[in-house]
Amino acid sequence: MAASGRQQASKTRADRLRAMVTPSPNFEPGEHKVEDLGDFTLPELKVPQATFEEALDALLEEYTFVCLRTRQEPLDFRYEVPDGLDQRQDIHLTNRSFQQALQTLAIAYGLKLNRKEDGQFDLVKISDLPPSNESPIQGRQWALPSNFKNYLEPYMTPNESVATDEGSTDISTALKRFGWLRGDEVSVELFPTSSQLVMRSNRVELAELYQLMETFYGLAPSQQIFSNWMVTSPDEIALLEKGFLTLAELDEAMPPHAEVLSLPEVVARRGESAEVSLIQGDVESDWTGLTYSVSSEGYGFGVRESSRFEYRPGGEPIQLGENGTAFELPSQVVKENSDIAPPQRHALVERIPTDQGVLYMVTSTMAIDVTGRAVYPEDLAGE
């Protein structure tokens, strides 16, 4: 009966939001699959003084909203909330995957989250679970990513962190929040110098930790690299009017009469703003020239990309292209843009009318790991 009620509530939520949501034109309609949950990113979940059930409802509503915004049919989740979860907490999560957000809520309210292969999940109060050492204890050792602790931090509350000393890192408190290590004979130890984790527990907990390790192996600390161009043309460039482009489309869009100036590439952390400035004067007060800032962060099946362009006249004309064409706008211009783009290497275009024609600010973004390698190599192959 409860499962049926949850299913009906989920359908009602989706139907209600359909009347409110304008789908992004940058996506083809599709159906969200279970295997997409790990990469499905929510920009923000903010719920003040919420019970677990209220926070979970808010998470699923935000998930449904993002699915509809990106023209995907949301999954139908069916679950039961254990009794006695009446405590209230302030919840504020940013730029987390659906799975991270769900796990973080479970940890915050003292629940063990058990995921199923079909995307559904069970919730059990950790206080109701038997000790881990009721089953035979086994040992296992893993080689971990060097920044393993960084992956645990998002699951901790603001006043917690993973303690570190010179010899080893005690992460038992962190893993107990997942619902593991309940008993006197179970243990875990992380050795930073050798990146080895040794855990003694029962077979089920070791298997669950193995799944967590597989998730970490599939992640890479990513940054965002921004390549920027200024393009001027006496006439509109039809394809640039489209807004978001793949790089292949961008190459095709440039007519011979367009003047192109490549601005410096900028690398920033994902979600943070990267800025290119061509100015004279004090950046903190009076200056002339232009600044162009862009940021990109996860959003459902794509990225949410934002840009801000500001031009202040009065400085030296900006030289564009190989011919050195002088460019300047007659008055101050401030342009801001934000939209959702497909999850691929793409270009965001900001259009600015001028007396000399049209100026396009073009930004190509790509996620890279700490080695500079693209997070999605298939994008570089043009797929």
Side-chain angles (χ1 to χ4, degrees):
M1 191 70 175
S4 176
R6 294 290 180 193
Q7 184 175 7
Q8 183 60 41
S10 176
K11 293 183 182 301
T12 302
R13 175 188 296 114
D15 292 340
R16 176 170 53 81
L17 288 176
R18 278 189 177 89
M20 304 167 53
V21 175
T22 301
S24 171
N26 298 311
F27 294 83
E28 294 295 330
E31 182 180 354
H32 189 192
K33 297 178 174 58
V34 171
E35 54 267 26
D36 296 328
L37 287 173
D39 297 324
F40 187 96
T41 307
L42 298 159
E44 184 177 48
L45 179 68
K46 188 173 184 178
V47 195
Q49 287 299 293
T51 65
F52 172 77
E53 189 163 9
E54 291 168 347
L56 182 57
D57 282 345
L59 169 63
L60 295 179
E61 185 154 313
E62 182 67 12
Y63 156 79
T64 304
F65 173 86
V66 173
C67 280
L68 297 177
R69 180 77 170 86
T70 53
R71 305 182 70 185
Q72 305 291 309
E73 186 64 28
L75 293 172
D76 172 28
F77 291 102
R78 301 177 298 277
Y79 56 91
E80 293 188 38
V81 176
D83 295 330
L85 295 176
D86 299 325
Q87 70 271 31
R88 294 184 174 274
Q89 300 188 46
D90 290 325
I91 299 298
H92 189 195
L93 309 176
T94 57
N95 213 30
R96 305 281 181 92
S97 74
F98 178 87
Q99 290 184 342
Q100 272 188 323
L102 181 60
Q103 180 67 78
T104 303
L105 289 184
I107 287 174
Y109 290 89
L111 294 170
K112 175 75 180 301
L113 174 67
N114 299 314
R115 294 191 181 93
K116 301 179 181 179
E117 292 184 359
D118 62 356
Q120 301 298 330
F121 54 89
D122 290 331
L123 298 161
V124 184
K125 292 170 67 175
I126 293 176
S127 58
D128 292 341
L129 292 169
S132 302
N133 56 356
E134 281 194 356
S135 302
I137 300 299
Q138 305 174 18
R140 183 159 183 178
Q141 179 173 314
W142 285 271
L144 299 178
S146 59
N147 55 348
F148 169 74
K149 296 188 300 300
N150 295 340
Y151 292 123
L152 288 181
E153 291 292 348
Y155 300 113
M156 300 299 102
T157 57
N159 60 348
E160 290 180 326
S161 63
V162 182
T164 306
D165 58 37
E166 294 182 357
S168 64
T169 300
D170 179 10
I171 63 168
S172 60
T173 299
L175 295 185
K176 284 178 181 178
R177 295 295 302 273
F178 283 80
W180 302 331
L181 303 175
R182 304 177 310 277
D184 298 330
E185 300 177 18
V186 295
S187 64
V188 63
E189 193 167 15
L190 174 64
F191 299 92
T193 54
S194 59
S195 295
Q196 297 291 314
L197 182 142
V198 179
M199 181 173 177
R200 286 177 48 80
S201 188
N202 62 38
R203 180 180 58 82
V204 173
E205 290 193 351
L206 293 174
E208 290 174 347
L209 183 59
Y210 174 78
Q211 291 181 336
L212 185 67
M213 295 300 103
E214 289 294 298
T215 300
F216 290 161
Y217 290 143
L219 295 174
S222 61
Q223 295 176 306
Q224 199 80 7
I225 184 168
F226 298 90
S227 302
N228 304 281
W229 299 272
M230 295 175 64
V231 181
T232 60
S233 172
D235 305 308
E236 291 182 350
I237 302 175
L239 198 55
L240 287 183
E241 297 288 326
K242 175 181 176 182
F244 285 103
L245 305 172
T246 65
L247 289 193
E249 291 173 328
L250 183 60
D251 290 338
E252 297 173 0
M254 297 302 177
H257 61 267
E259 294 281 354
V260 181
L261 172 66
S262 295
L263 300 175
E265 287 189 341
V266 182
V267 176
R269 292 181 180 179
R270 297 205 64 179
E272 295 183 357
S273 179
E275 183 172 288
V276 173
S277 296
L278 298 175
I279 65 173
Q280 295 94 43
D282 183 0
V283 69
E284 299 295 334
S285 57
D286 295 328
W287 56 267
T288 57
L290 69 86
T291 62
Y292 184 60
S293 62
V294 287
S295 64
S296 183
E297 61 184 342
Y299 194 111
F301 295 96
V303 295
R304 180 173 63 185
E305 187 157 304
S306 302
S307 70
R308 186 181 189 279
F309 172 90
E310 181 173 359
Y311 177 86
R312 297 182 185 180
E316 293 294 326
I318 298 167
Q319 302 297 316
L320 279 180
E322 296 180 357
N323 299 327
T325 302
F327 159 79
E328 59 181 330
L329 290 171
S331 60
Q332 181 167 334
V333 176
V334 177
K335 297 277 287 186
E336 294 182 319
N337 185 23
S338 183
D339 199 359
I340 304 171
Q344 60 185 1
R345 190 174 183 182
H346 60 277
L348 171 69
V349 179
E350 180 63 36
R351 179 185 188 276
I352 302 169
T354 76
D355 291 345
Q356 300 134 299
V358 183
L359 167 69
Y360 297 96
M361 298 297 298
V362 183
T363 301
S364 167
T365 67
M366 181 176 63
I368 57 174
D369 64 18
V370 290
T371 69
R373 182 179 59 86
V375 174
Y376 302 106
E378 64 273 17
D379 295 337
L380 298 181
E383 297 181 5

mmCIF file of all heavy atoms in Angstrom, residues 36-68:
data_model
loop_
_atom_site.group_PDB
_atom_site.id
_atom_site.type_symbol
_atom_site.label_atom_id
_atom_site.label_comp_id
_atom_site.label_asym_id
_atom_site.label_seq_id
_atom_site.Cartn_x
_atom_site.Cartn_y
_atom_site.Cartn_z
ATOM 1 N N ASP A 36 22.166 6.140 -15.551
ATOM 2 C CA ASP A 36 22.475 7.563 -15.637
ATOM 3 C C ASP A 36 22.572 8.233 -14.267
ATOM 4 O O ASP A 36 23.056 9.375 -14.173
ATOM 5 C CB ASP A 36 21.401 8.306 -16.445
ATOM 6 C CG ASP A 36 21.336 7.849 -17.890
ATOM 7 O OD1 ASP A 36 22.395 7.482 -18.433
ATOM 8 O OD2 ASP A 36 20.234 7.859 -18.469
ATOM 9 N N LEU A 37 22.114 7.576 -13.204
ATOM 10 C CA LEU A 37 21.999 8.232 -11.903
ATOM 11 C C LEU A 37 23.340 8.722 -11.366
ATOM 12 O O LEU A 37 23.412 9.770 -10.728
ATOM 13 C CB LEU A 37 21.350 7.294 -10.889
ATOM 14 C CG LEU A 37 19.847 7.051 -11.060
ATOM 15 C CD1 LEU A 37 19.374 5.973 -10.092
ATOM 16 C CD2 LEU A 37 19.064 8.337 -10.859
ATOM 17 N N GLY A 38 24.421 7.986 -11.638
ATOM 18 C CA GLY A 38 25.721 8.394 -11.122
ATOM 19 C C GLY A 38 26.223 9.685 -11.726
ATOM 20 O O GLY A 38 26.968 10.431 -11.092
ATOM 21 N N ASP A 39 25.836 9.966 -12.970
ATOM 22 C CA ASP A 39 26.292 11.178 -13.655
ATOM 23 C C ASP A 39 25.256 12.285 -13.633
ATOM 24 O O ASP A 39 25.514 13.382 -14.135
ATOM 25 C CB ASP A 39 26.630 10.864 -15.123
ATOM 26 C CG ASP A 39 27.784 9.885 -15.242
ATOM 27 O OD1 ASP A 39 28.706 9.971 -14.414
ATOM 28 O OD2 ASP A 39 27.757 9.046 -16.145
ATOM 29 N N PHE A 40 24.088 12.025 -13.070
ATOM 30 C CA PHE A 40 23.019 13.018 -13.055
ATOM 31 C C PHE A 40 23.285 13.997 -11.919
ATOM 32 O O PHE A 40 23.298 13.627 -10.751
ATOM 33 C CB PHE A 40 21.669 12.325 -12.868
ATOM 34 C CG PHE A 40 20.490 13.241 -12.992
ATOM 35 C CD1 PHE A 40 19.820 13.353 -14.197
ATOM 36 C CD2 PHE A 40 20.049 13.996 -11.920
ATOM 37 C CE1 PHE A 40 18.727 14.205 -14.321
ATOM 38 C CE2 PHE A 40 18.967 14.847 -12.037
ATOM 39 C CZ PHE A 40 18.303 14.949 -13.236
ATOM 40 N N THR A 41 23.520 15.256 -12.253
ATOM 41 C CA THR A 41 23.950 16.242 -11.266
ATOM 42 C C THR A 41 22.865 17.268 -10.997
ATOM 43 O O THR A 41 22.234 17.763 -11.923
ATOM 44 C CB THR A 41 25.227 16.953 -11.737
ATOM 45 O OG1 THR A 41 26.203 15.969 -12.076
ATOM 46 C CG2 THR A 41 25.779 17.849 -10.654
ATOM 47 N N LEU A 42 22.671 17.564 -9.718
ATOM 48 C CA LEU A 42 21.705 18.572 -9.294
ATOM 49 C C LEU A 42 22.455 19.842 -8.909
ATOM 50 O O LEU A 42 23.426 19.770 -8.149
ATOM 51 C CB LEU A 42 20.914 18.076 -8.090
ATOM 52 C CG LEU A 42 20.080 16.816 -8.328
ATOM 53 C CD1 LEU A 42 19.769 16.146 -7.005
ATOM 54 C CD2 LEU A 42 18.806 17.160 -9.058
ATOM 55 N N PRO A 43 22.040 21.004 -9.403
ATOM 56 C CA PRO A 43 22.771 22.225 -9.080
ATOM 57 C C PRO A 43 22.675 22.606 -7.610
ATOM 58 O O PRO A 43 23.639 23.085 -7.029
ATOM 59 C CB PRO A 43 22.124 23.279 -9.978
ATOM 60 C CG PRO A 43 20.774 22.745 -10.293
ATOM 61 C CD PRO A 43 20.905 21.257 -10.313
ATOM 62 N N GLU A 44 21.513 22.381 -6.984
ATOM 63 C CA GLU A 44 21.360 22.782 -5.585
ATOM 64 C C GLU A 44 20.158 22.086 -4.965
ATOM 65 O O GLU A 44 19.155 21.847 -5.628
ATOM 66 C CB GLU A 44 21.179 24.305 -5.475
ATOM 67 C CG GLU A 44 21.111 24.821 -4.041
ATOM 68 C CD GLU A 44 20.995 26.327 -3.966
ATOM 69 O OE1 GLU A 44 20.149 26.898 -4.696
ATOM 70 O OE2 GLU A 44 21.746 26.941 -3.198
ATOM 71 N N LEU A 45 20.289 21.750 -3.702
ATOM 72 C CA LEU A 45 19.165 21.268 -2.897
ATOM 73 C C LEU A 45 19.231 22.009 -1.572
ATOM 74 O O LEU A 45 20.146 21.813 -0.778
ATOM 75 C CB LEU A 45 19.241 19.762 -2.671
ATOM 76 C CG LEU A 45 18.105 19.177 -1.819
ATOM 77 C CD1 LEU A 45 16.782 19.265 -2.576
ATOM 78 C CD2 LEU A 45 18.395 17.744 -1.414
ATOM 79 N N LYS A 46 18.272 22.889 -1.327
ATOM 80 C CA LYS A 46 18.268 23.709 -0.119
ATOM 81 C C LYS A 46 16.911 23.606 0.546
ATOM 82 O O LYS A 46 15.901 24.044 -0.008
ATOM 83 C CB LYS A 46 18.589 25.164 -0.468
ATOM 84 C CG LYS A 46 18.792 26.053 0.753
ATOM 85 C CD LYS A 46 19.264 27.443 0.338
ATOM 86 C CE LYS A 46 19.560 28.316 1.540
ATOM 87 N NZ LYS A 46 20.053 29.655 1.140
ATOM 88 N N VAL A 47 16.881 22.991 1.738
ATOM 89 C CA VAL A 47 15.634 22.793 2.475
ATOM 90 C C VAL A 47 15.889 23.137 3.938
ATOM 91 O O VAL A 47 16.594 22.414 4.637
ATOM 92 C CB VAL A 47 15.122 21.340 2.372
ATOM 93 C CG1 VAL A 47 13.672 21.257 2.829
ATOM 94 C CG2 VAL A 47 15.276 20.786 0.971
ATOM 95 N N PRO A 48 15.339 24.244 4.449
ATOM 96 C CA PRO A 48 15.578 24.613 5.853
ATOM 97 C C PRO A 48 14.708 23.796 6.803
ATOM 98 O O PRO A 48 13.535 23.541 6.529
ATOM 99 C CB PRO A 48 15.213 26.103 5.886
ATOM 100 C CG PRO A 48 14.202 26.272 4.786
ATOM 101 C CD PRO A 48 14.581 25.284 3.719
ATOM 102 N N GLN A 49 15.314 23.368 7.900
ATOM 103 C CA GLN A 49 14.609 22.692 8.989
ATOM 104 C C GLN A 49 13.628 21.634 8.478
ATOM 105 O O GLN A 49 12.420 21.678 8.730
ATOM 106 C CB GLN A 49 13.890 23.721 9.857
ATOM 107 C CG GLN A 49 14.827 24.536 10.737
ATOM 108 C CD GLN A 49 15.580 23.646 11.713
ATOM 109 O OE1 GLN A 49 14.997 23.055 12.621
ATOM 110 N NE2 GLN A 49 16.894 23.530 11.531
ATOM 111 N N ALA A 50 14.183 20.653 7.781
ATOM 112 C CA ALA A 50 13.357 19.614 7.157
ATOM 113 C C ALA A 50 13.516 18.291 7.883
ATOM 114 O O ALA A 50 14.587 17.954 8.388
ATOM 115 C CB ALA A 50 13.751 19.444 5.694
ATOM 116 N N THR A 51 12.437 17.532 7.951
ATOM 117 C CA THR A 51 12.544 16.128 8.343
ATOM 118 C C THR A 51 13.148 15.372 7.172
ATOM 119 O O THR A 51 13.264 15.894 6.051
ATOM 120 C CB THR A 51 11.168 15.545 8.673
ATOM 121 O OG1 THR A 51 10.357 15.538 7.477
ATOM 122 C CG2 THR A 51 10.476 16.353 9.760
ATOM 123 N N PHE A 52 13.534 14.119 7.408
ATOM 124 C CA PHE A 52 14.107 13.328 6.319
ATOM 125 C C PHE A 52 13.117 13.189 5.169
ATOM 126 O O PHE A 52 13.480 13.332 3.995
ATOM 127 C CB PHE A 52 14.524 11.946 6.811
ATOM 128 C CG PHE A 52 14.946 11.041 5.682
ATOM 129 C CD1 PHE A 52 16.189 11.193 5.092
ATOM 130 C CD2 PHE A 52 14.087 10.063 5.190
ATOM 131 C CE1 PHE A 52 16.578 10.382 4.032
ATOM 132 C CE2 PHE A 52 14.465 9.250 4.136
ATOM 133 C CZ PHE A 52 15.721 9.406 3.561
ATOM 134 N N GLU A 53 11.865 12.923 5.486
ATOM 135 C CA GLU A 53 10.874 12.729 4.429
ATOM 136 C C GLU A 53 10.692 14.006 3.608
ATOM 137 O O GLU A 53 10.573 13.951 2.383
ATOM 138 C CB GLU A 53 9.541 12.284 5.017
ATOM 139 C CG GLU A 53 8.528 11.852 3.960
ATOM 140 C CD GLU A 53 7.394 11.052 4.553
ATOM 141 O OE1 GLU A 53 7.297 10.976 5.788
ATOM 142 O OE2 GLU A 53 6.604 10.506 3.769
ATOM 143 N N GLU A 54 10.716 15.157 4.261
ATOM 144 C CA GLU A 54 10.597 16.420 3.534
ATOM 145 C C GLU A 54 11.813 16.669 2.656
ATOM 146 O O GLU A 54 11.696 17.139 1.513
ATOM 147 C CB GLU A 54 10.413 17.571 4.531
ATOM 148 C CG GLU A 54 9.073 17.553 5.243
ATOM 149 C CD GLU A 54 9.018 18.518 6.412
ATOM 150 O OE1 GLU A 54 10.074 19.019 6.835
ATOM 151 O OE2 GLU A 54 7.900 18.760 6.912
ATOM 152 N N ALA A 55 13.011 16.359 3.186
ATOM 153 C CA ALA A 55 14.229 16.541 2.394
ATOM 154 C C ALA A 55 14.259 15.593 1.210
ATOM 155 O O ALA A 55 14.658 15.974 0.098
ATOM 156 C CB ALA A 55 15.456 16.333 3.285
ATOM 157 N N LEU A 56 13.827 14.336 1.419
ATOM 158 C CA LEU A 56 13.803 13.376 0.327
ATOM 159 C C LEU A 56 12.797 13.780 -0.740
ATOM 160 O O LEU A 56 13.066 13.681 -1.943
ATOM 161 C CB LEU A 56 13.475 11.981 0.867
ATOM 162 C CG LEU A 56 13.447 10.840 -0.155
ATOM 163 C CD1 LEU A 56 14.777 10.737 -0.886
ATOM 164 C CD2 LEU A 56 13.096 9.520 0.518
ATOM 165 N N ASP A 57 11.630 14.246 -0.324
ATOM 166 C CA ASP A 57 10.641 14.732 -1.295
ATOM 167 C C ASP A 57 11.198 15.900 -2.102
ATOM 168 O O ASP A 57 10.982 16.005 -3.312
ATOM 169 C CB ASP A 57 9.356 15.154 -0.584
ATOM 170 C CG ASP A 57 8.483 13.969 -0.193
ATOM 171 O OD1 ASP A 57 8.738 12.861 -0.721
ATOM 172 O OD2 ASP A 57 7.572 14.141 0.633
ATOM 173 N N ALA A 58 11.926 16.802 -1.427
ATOM 174 C CA ALA A 58 12.522 17.939 -2.129
ATOM 175 C C ALA A 58 13.576 17.476 -3.131
ATOM 176 O O ALA A 58 13.667 18.011 -4.243
ATOM 177 C CB ALA A 58 13.137 18.917 -1.128
ATOM 178 N N LEU A 59 14.379 16.468 -2.751
ATOM 179 C CA LEU A 59 15.376 15.917 -3.664
ATOM 180 C C LEU A 59 14.719 15.327 -4.903
ATOM 181 O O LEU A 59 15.138 15.592 -6.041
ATOM 182 C CB LEU A 59 16.200 14.852 -2.938
ATOM 183 C CG LEU A 59 17.120 13.993 -3.828
ATOM 184 C CD1 LEU A 59 18.182 14.852 -4.498
ATOM 185 C CD2 LEU A 59 17.758 12.874 -3.017
ATOM 186 N N LEU A 60 13.671 14.525 -4.709
ATOM 187 C CA LEU A 60 13.004 13.892 -5.843
ATOM 188 C C LEU A 60 12.269 14.912 -6.708
ATOM 189 O O LEU A 60 12.174 14.754 -7.926
ATOM 190 C CB LEU A 60 12.039 12.812 -5.346
ATOM 191 C CG LEU A 60 12.715 11.632 -4.644
ATOM 192 C CD1 LEU A 60 11.674 10.634 -4.159
ATOM 193 C CD2 LEU A 60 13.708 10.942 -5.571
ATOM 194 N N GLU A 61 11.770 15.967 -6.088
ATOM 195 C CA GLU A 61 11.112 17.007 -6.879
ATOM 196 C C GLU A 61 12.130 17.778 -7.713
ATOM 197 O O GLU A 61 11.874 18.085 -8.884
ATOM 198 C CB GLU A 61 10.345 17.961 -5.969
ATOM 199 C CG GLU A 61 9.549 18.998 -6.736
ATOM 200 C CD GLU A 61 8.340 19.519 -5.969
ATOM 201 O OE1 GLU A 61 7.593 18.702 -5.412
ATOM 202 O OE2 GLU A 61 8.173 20.747 -5.931
ATOM 203 N N GLU A 62 13.286 18.065 -7.126
ATOM 204 C CA GLU A 62 14.330 18.746 -7.893
ATOM 205 C C GLU A 62 14.835 17.853 -9.025
ATOM 206 O O GLU A 62 15.074 18.316 -10.147
ATOM 207 C CB GLU A 62 15.482 19.133 -6.969
ATOM 208 C CG GLU A 62 16.604 19.887 -7.640
ATOM 209 C CD GLU A 62 16.211 21.267 -8.108
ATOM 210 O OE1 GLU A 62 15.120 21.754 -7.729
ATOM 211 O OE2 GLU A 62 16.978 21.882 -8.883
ATOM 212 N N TYR A 63 15.001 16.564 -8.740
ATOM 213 C CA TYR A 63 15.395 15.601 -9.776
ATOM 214 C C TYR A 63 14.376 15.585 -10.914
ATOM 215 O O TYR A 63 14.735 15.629 -12.094
ATOM 216 C CB TYR A 63 15.518 14.214 -9.142
ATOM 217 C CG TYR A 63 15.361 13.080 -10.120
ATOM 218 C CD1 TYR A 63 16.418 12.708 -10.941
ATOM 219 C CD2 TYR A 63 14.153 12.386 -10.229
ATOM 220 C CE1 TYR A 63 16.260 11.671 -11.847
ATOM 221 C CE2 TYR A 63 14.004 11.358 -11.129
ATOM 222 C CZ TYR A 63 15.061 11.005 -11.938
ATOM 223 O OH TYR A 63 14.903 9.983 -12.846
ATOM 224 N N THR A 64 13.102 15.546 -10.571
ATOM 225 C CA THR A 64 12.055 15.527 -11.593
ATOM 226 C C THR A 64 12.066 16.803 -12.409
ATOM 227 O O THR A 64 11.929 16.788 -13.639
ATOM 228 C CB THR A 64 10.672 15.336 -10.936
ATOM 229 O OG1 THR A 64 10.683 14.138 -10.148
ATOM 230 C CG2 THR A 64 9.576 15.237 -11.984
ATOM 231 N N PHE A 65 12.269 17.951 -11.732
ATOM 232 C CA PHE A 65 12.318 19.238 -12.421
ATOM 233 C C PHE A 65 13.452 19.254 -13.445
ATOM 234 O O PHE A 65 13.273 19.673 -14.597
ATOM 235 C CB PHE A 65 12.518 20.358 -11.406
ATOM 236 C CG PHE A 65 12.739 21.712 -12.028
ATOM 237 C CD1 PHE A 65 11.670 22.517 -12.386
ATOM 238 C CD2 PHE A 65 14.028 22.170 -12.271
ATOM 239 C CE1 PHE A 65 11.875 23.755 -12.971
ATOM 240 C CE2 PHE A 65 14.243 23.400 -12.855
ATOM 241 C CZ PHE A 65 13.167 24.194 -13.208
ATOM 242 N N VAL A 66 14.636 18.778 -13.044
ATOM 243 C CA VAL A 66 15.780 18.795 -13.955
ATOM 244 C C VAL A 66 15.542 17.846 -15.131
ATOM 245 O O VAL A 66 15.876 18.160 -16.273
ATOM 246 C CB VAL A 66 17.072 18.438 -13.203
ATOM 247 C CG1 VAL A 66 18.228 18.295 -14.174
ATOM 248 C CG2 VAL A 66 17.394 19.492 -12.166
ATOM 249 N N CYS A 67 14.956 16.676 -14.860
ATOM 250 C CA CYS A 67 14.636 15.746 -15.948
ATOM 251 C C CYS A 67 13.730 16.423 -16.976
ATOM 252 O O CYS A 67 13.988 16.362 -18.187
ATOM 253 C CB CYS A 67 13.943 14.501 -15.402
ATOM 254 S SG CYS A 67 15.046 13.283 -14.678
ATOM 255 N N LEU A 68 12.692 17.066 -16.510
ATOM 256 C CA LEU A 68 11.748 17.707 -17.429
ATOM 257 C C LEU A 68 12.398 18.886 -18.143
ATOM 258 O O LEU A 68 12.113 19.134 -19.318
ATOM 259 C CB LEU A 68 10.513 18.161 -16.658
ATOM 260 C CG LEU A 68 9.696 17.047 -15.998
ATOM 261 C CD1 LEU A 68 8.538 17.638 -15.205
ATOM 262 C CD2 LEU A 68 9.180 16.052 -17.030
#
